[in-house]
Amino acid sequence: MKKGKKLYEGKAKIVYASSEKNLVIQHFKDDATAFNNKKKSVIDGKGILNNRISEHILTYLSQVGIKNHLVKRLNMREQLIKRVEIIPIEFVVRNIATGSLTNRLGIEEGAVLDSTLIEYCLKDDKLGDPLISKEHIYTFKWATRREIEKIDRQLLRINDFLVGLFRGIGIKLVDFKVEFGRYKNNSKNEILLADEISPDTCRLWDMNTEKKLDKDRFRKNLGNLIQAYQEVAKRLGILHEQSNVRPLRFPKPKAVKIKNK
Ligand code: UDP
């Protein structure tokens, strides 16, 4: 698949054109940002891990009927994906209170929610991705009622699936953010799960120790972010104990002199 020109560069990913009109190439960078771009860093190997973890999760989701943009992973940092028009809303799904929910509403940190909570934020960095209601979405036509009803149903299915997946490997899925896009296929409009699902976009706590295995390690200066992401990948079975996220380099063989006896 030939890589074309850069179409869009975001905080953690770059999108390139491909040789097919309806497909694009998504490249995972090592850049980490938080607090609306106020905190920035480059963390070696993060993009490689997110590419693998997101591929793994989206592949599972498509197997349980959640249509998404992933076509296939191309290499360590890139995926071939369907070209969608992103709906300008960040869909946040919460099982346990933390982060902006506790800051905004004073809900006790770590409180287990009685039922899954869905929140909508406008995808606009200049405005700081403000929380919005469904009425805002309909009034300003960011999405239709039919689209939001469909997405809400999918969010609950995605959450149920992911809670089970992570519980099986000793991790609590605290919350996560996803995005959806409109895909035009033979004049038919389809809603597809898009973007990524990775420790950058989820909060993942170890079941026993509550150790954070996600981007909060960067937000809260806890250190060892790569080790935490590797831990998630290992538990998901996509990274073996001894694997290293850096490309393997083999030392040059030393010249050996063979003496003629
Ligand atoms: N999240 C994200 N991108 C954002 C904002 C939030 O992926 O721009 C994720 C975040 O990692 C967490 C969930 O959405 O898993 C809920 O985040 P929250 O609203 O608590 O915001 P934060 O505390 O990150 O500002």
Side-chain angles (χ1 to χ4, degrees):
M1 180 58 63
K2 256 181 76 187
K3 194 152 100 183
K5 66 168 196 245
K6 193 197 278 189
L7 300 175
Y8 165 84
E9 177 155 5
K11 286 175 282 188
K13 294 186 290 294
I14 306 174
V15 176
Y16 295 95
S18 81
S19 38
E20 277 190 51
K21 200 176 113 242
N22 288 333
L23 304 179
V24 289
I25 293 169
Q26 170 164 263
H27 174 105
F28 287 76
K29 300 193 282 183
D30 282 340
D31 300 24
T33 63
F35 312 119
N36 201 20
N37 236 350
K38 286 189 192 91
K39 184 176 160 95
K40 286 188 203 178
S41 189
V42 175
I43 301 173
D44 259 4
K46 180 175 80 74
I48 296 174
L49 283 158
N50 282 348
N51 184 20
R52 292 291 303 276
I53 294 171
S54 192
E55 173 207 14
H56 184 80
I57 292 176
L58 293 193
T59 303
Y60 267 170
L61 285 172
S62 79
Q63 287 166 1
V64 295
I66 305 290
K67 290 186 178 174
N68 63 65
H69 72 168
L70 180 71
V71 178
K72 62 174 179 183
R73 185 167 63 83
L74 295 171
N75 54 48
M76 300 244 283
R77 288 194 180 267
E78 289 170 336
Q79 302 178 343
L80 188 64
I81 58 170
K82 291 179 176 163
R83 183 181 203 148
V84 296
E85 177 205 348
I86 289 285
I87 295 173
I89 298 168
E90 297 199 338
F91 297 88
V92 173
V93 180
R94 299 179 184 274
N95 298 304
I96 297 175
T98 190
S100 67
L101 182 69
T102 55
N103 300 336
R104 246 187 294 119
L105 303 177
I107 309 295
E108 189 195 346
E109 168 77 20
V112 176
L113 306 181
D114 283 347
S115 58
T116 303
L117 177 66
I118 297 176
E119 290 180 332
Y120 312 93
C121 297
L122 182 64
K123 205 171 138 57
D124 187 326
D125 283 340
K126 278 190 254 104
L127 300 175
D129 299 339
L131 187 71
I132 50 174
S133 70
K134 279 189 189 175
E135 296 313 313
H136 290 103
I137 297 175
Y138 304 144
T139 302
F140 301 111
K141 300 190 170 48
W142 290 316
T144 65
R145 278 175 202 269
R146 262 186 83 187
E147 285 174 333
I148 293 298
E149 279 161 16
K150 186 168 182 192
I151 289 171
D152 280 354
R153 282 196 301 274
Q154 292 210 6
L155 289 171
L156 296 179
R157 288 195 57 215
I158 294 168
N159 186 54
D160 283 350
F161 179 81
L162 292 183
V163 165
L165 175 75
F166 283 113
R167 182 178 292 149
I169 55 169
I171 292 174
K172 285 191 222 177
L173 176 64
V174 174
D175 56 30
F176 62 95
K177 182 269 302 184
V178 281
E179 296 178 21
F180 289 83
R182 301 182 185 102
Y183 180 61
K184 277 207 182 80
N185 190 8
N186 301 330
S187 75
K188 206 179 91 192
N189 242 342
E190 253 185 334
I191 297 285
L192 299 182
L193 173 66
D195 194 49
E196 69 176 290
I197 300 184
S198 72
D200 262 13
T201 59
C202 299
R203 283 200 176 92
L204 304 169
W205 294 353
D206 179 85
M207 196 88 86
N208 299 317
T209 61
E210 304 236 313
K211 182 179 165 187
K212 294 177 184 3
L213 300 171
D214 57 63
K215 206 169 101 176
D216 270 356
R217 301 209 72 80
F218 171 70
R219 294 190 188 99
K220 296 173 181 268
N221 298 320
L222 299 173
N224 294 335
L225 178 131
I226 283 296
Q227 288 81 350
Y229 284 33
Q230 278 176 334
E231 176 69 30
V232 173
K234 272 186 214 156
R235 292 198 202 179
L236 286 169
I238 53 179
L239 194 75
H240 301 294
E241 279 313 307
Q242 298 305 321
S243 296
N244 193 323
V245 289
R246 290 168 195 275
L248 291 173
R249 282 197 199 94
F250 295 102
K252 277 191 188 156
K254 283 185 190 144
V256 181
K257 276 186 190 162
I258 300 168
K259 282 182 194 160
N260 284 331
K261 278 188 182 165

